Amino acid sequence: VRTLPMTSRFYLIATLMPPGKVDYYFVRNEKEQHIYYSSTTIPVCEEEMRAIPLPPSKKKMRIFSKPSSVFRSWQEDTPGLLAVTFKKDFEQSKLSKMIKNQLELDAVYEVLLKNFAALKEEFLSVIVKSSYPNIGWNDFTTYCQQKSITNKDIVLSVLDRLFIAVNTKVGKQDDYANRDRELCRSNFIEIMVRIAEAKYKEMGQAQFLHEAVERLVKDILTTGQPPFIHKFRKESIWTLPIDDLLRSNREGIRKVYQRYAGIKRYLSLQDVVQLIQVDCIYDVYQHEIVKAYGYSKMTVKNEQENFSIVRINNIRRLQSNDRSCIPCVHRQNSQCLIQKFTE
């Protein structure tokens, strides 16, 4: 409402009225009840009403930034880290003794290095369902059947023979990281080469060993659904809502971590199981906790000499907390879960 010039007694009022005859009233003073009646006819608007867009908001959009998040200390895989890690695994295997031709050995090395990131995720996806942090004999047999590795040429007896050959210890190796009747990561790499030799080279389907290895790796990575471990981490965990939730409860999570880590300054798998299943009494299966724990760990350069394969530090603790929440999302939201952890 606005007043016309001071000499006028009229007011302009902007309002919307339906088309047709409209009766309306003016009340000059509610107490004196001076009511003025009038009516008018509103014509039908034949012009299309145009929407006037609002100006763009000047509010800055928040974007997740890992360097400034609670996950900033989590070390992602880089080509350099993967190269150093693979070199350690290759040296701990018996491939240099198995492959006598140096040119062939170098070619196999390059094929495995090129696919090491994917093979490492394959290995991790199996150990969280097996004898973490290794792969048990029966679980590896099941894995080979799922990946269609076994056939009329690679029967179970051949697979068992290769498993025994790989699992034979040479030199000084850690008994925990490389337990009998189980495969550590370097064993997993080695047995893939042995299977490729038996399945493709010895059967005349590949002339050179590196060609057989490349073919087997391609078959493995294209059969079934890939684990997408890091893809899930980047799309579902490294997000603003999760970062805000963990940041707002960071002090409580730190106290939980200190309580269970104690003087050893790390959380073992048993600590996490105790926290979630016993102390918090959540209806979460242990294999789900093992999966959350295993998927939260960063790459370890030398798994046979570094016990951090079965430990978890504070930043990975944050990530493991959130992964462990996933099976329970349909029952409780993440805020309730974090609150329960901190209590």
Side-chain angles (χ1 to χ4, degrees), residues 82 86 107-123 188-189 210 213-221:
L82 291 173
F86 174 71
V108 170
Y109 186 97
E110 291 301 323
V111 171
L112 293 174
L113 176 60
K114 180 178 66 175
N115 296 280
F116 180 63
L119 289 174
K120 185 172 68 71
E121 285 213 344
E122 285 287 330
F123 174 74
F188 181 75
I189 298 296
H210 71 275
V213 173
E214 191 162 21
R215 181 171 174 181
L216 179 66
V217 170
K218 182 179 178 181
D219 291 345
I220 291 173
L221 299 182

Side-chain angles (χ1 to χ4, degrees), residues 138-246:
N138 293 334
D139 294 317
F140 182 72
T141 301
T142 302
Y143 171 77
C144 290
Q145 292 171 339
Q146 292 172 345
K147 291 293 184 176
S148 302
I149 293 175
T150 54
N151 56 17
K152 61 183 180 64
D153 299 320
I154 304 296
V155 295
L156 293 183
S157 59
V158 175
L159 200 62
D160 291 345
R161 173 174 59 82
L162 298 178
F163 191 97
I164 294 171
V166 170
N167 207 243
T168 303
K169 294 182 182 179
V170 176
K172 184 179 179 181
Q173 292 181 330
D174 183 76
D175 290 334
Y176 187 84
N178 187 18
R179 291 178 283 191
D180 291 336
R181 303 173 67 86
E182 294 181 359
L183 299 176
C184 62
R185 193 173 63 200
S186 60
N187 294 152
F188 181 75
I189 298 296
E190 180 182 336
I191 200 171
M192 289 302 164
V193 176
R194 291 181 181 272
I195 291 174
E197 182 181 43
K199 185 174 183 178
Y200 296 120
K201 187 180 178 183
E202 292 179 359
M203 294 297 112
Q205 299 183 38
Q207 182 179 0
F208 300 104
L209 181 56
H210 71 275
E211 295 175 350
V213 173
E214 191 162 21
R215 181 171 174 181
L216 179 66
V217 170
K218 182 179 178 181
D219 291 345
I220 291 173
L221 299 182
T222 56
T223 302
Q225 184 176 1
F228 290 131
I229 299 171
H230 191 59
K231 184 174 183 290
F232 170 84
R233 180 183 294 116
K234 294 182 71 173
E235 294 180 356
S236 301
I237 295 183
W238 292 351
T239 61
L240 275 176
I242 297 298
D243 184 49
D244 291 342
L245 177 62
L246 295 178

